[in-house]
Amino acid sequence: MVFDAFSAAADLVAPRECAACGARGAELCPACTAEFRGTPTRVRLRADVPVSVFTCGRYGGAAENVVNAYKERGRIGLADDIGECAARLAWELIGRGELPEPADIPLALVPSPASRGSIRRRGFDHVARWCSVTAGILSAAAPPGSVVMGQLLAVSGRVRDAAGLSAGERAENLAGRIVPVREPRLRAAEEPARVWAGLREGRFHVVLVDDVVTTGATLAECCRALTAGGIAAGAGIALRAA
């Protein structure tokens, strides 16, 4: 994309700075990387989300700076750091038994969909981009075909920016707006048609993926939309809870 080329050119002109603290030398310095990784935590949400949701901690500090730099300031190189953070979260949850071993039950990561307006404004689908990195990291350490990523959902119509909305307003804003797509985009080692059939037959443990959860309205709507498309969600993960 033109946006990617512009970002790469900018890195050549100006040295990289840590997105969280401003230190020179890397997209994210070691100290901020450690803070960003956080600790796996199960969160309770105000919305009626029918699956367990886990994050790496509370929103703020290094995490807030990283997410804002990536989403709003065009630091798309952070997708690797963010994706690696989410992969660590997933592996820790697997180790704790909160998610199944991919060798036993394959995992399907389903990113929360971005609206067409936000994709136009940013130039990329922010959650799907780093979720693809997460899927790649998990796949490299798991049996072939046991970890896939599927863009199964889309935002239909216009939605308001959720910033500043109450829990009720967030739910109303998204009600019926997240829908199953007709032609899912799958990142998988297997034939996409076989993966799609496996998803509909319940052979995958479906994990919804988001960056920041506040009330849980988005994840609740994602679960509803997946169910409408004949797929059951099994869990949700996010970088942080606000």
Side-chain angles (χ1 to χ4, degrees):
M1 295 174 66
V2 173
F3 189 86
D4 293 353
F6 178 81
S7 178
D11 278 343
L12 295 175
V13 175
R16 290 184 179 180
E17 295 181 347
C18 173
C21 71
R24 294 291 183 95
E27 291 278 9
L28 198 59
C29 74
C32 291
T33 295
E35 181 183 339
F36 182 54
R37 286 173 178 168
T39 303
T41 306
R42 186 196 298 263
V43 295
R44 297 180 63 183
L45 301 166
R46 281 172 280 179
D48 183 16
V49 182
V51 297
S52 296
V53 178
F54 303 88
T55 76
C56 297
R58 303 299 299 182
Y59 191 54
E64 183 173 359
N65 291 340
V66 169
V67 170
N68 284 336
Y70 172 68
K71 288 172 63 173
E72 311 302 342
R73 300 204 302 273
R75 294 285 297 271
I76 58 174
L78 289 165
D80 290 340
D81 298 280
I82 296 172
E84 192 267 347
C85 175
R88 280 176 171 269
L89 171 61
W91 276 125
E92 291 197 43
L93 294 174
I94 290 168
R96 286 167 33 175
E98 302 286 3
L99 294 179
E101 286 279 355
D104 299 328
I105 302 177
L107 296 179
L109 306 184
V110 178
S112 171
S115 68
R116 282 175 287 185
S118 70
I119 293 174
R120 283 195 302 268
R121 178 167 58 84
R122 295 188 176 110
F124 63 104
D125 187 328
H126 63 289
V127 176
R129 191 181 191 98
W130 61 256
C131 186
S132 179
V133 174
T134 300
I137 293 171
L138 296 177
S139 295
S146 62
V147 179
V148 304
M149 176 187 128
Q151 290 179 259
L152 310 183
L153 303 171
V155 177
S156 176
R158 292 186 178 183
V159 294
R160 298 162 60 191
D161 188 327
L165 298 183
S166 67
E169 289 170 335
R170 285 171 182 263
E172 182 180 355
N173 184 43
L174 289 172
R177 294 297 189 186
I178 296 179
V179 298
V181 299
R182 293 182 180 178
E183 297 183 3
R185 297 175 62 185
L186 299 169
R187 183 192 190 282
E190 292 186 67
E191 178 66 31
R194 292 182 60 188
V195 174
W196 180 232
L199 284 165
R200 296 179 66 85
E201 292 166 5
R203 296 203 303 265
F204 287 83
H205 189 80
V206 177
V207 182
L208 287 164
V209 181
D210 207 350
D211 54 0
V212 180
V213 291
T214 304
T215 65
T218 300
L219 291 181
E221 274 300 303
C222 287
C223 287
R224 181 203 58 75
L226 283 176
T227 300
I231 296 172
I237 63 172
L239 301 174
R240 286 296 190 274

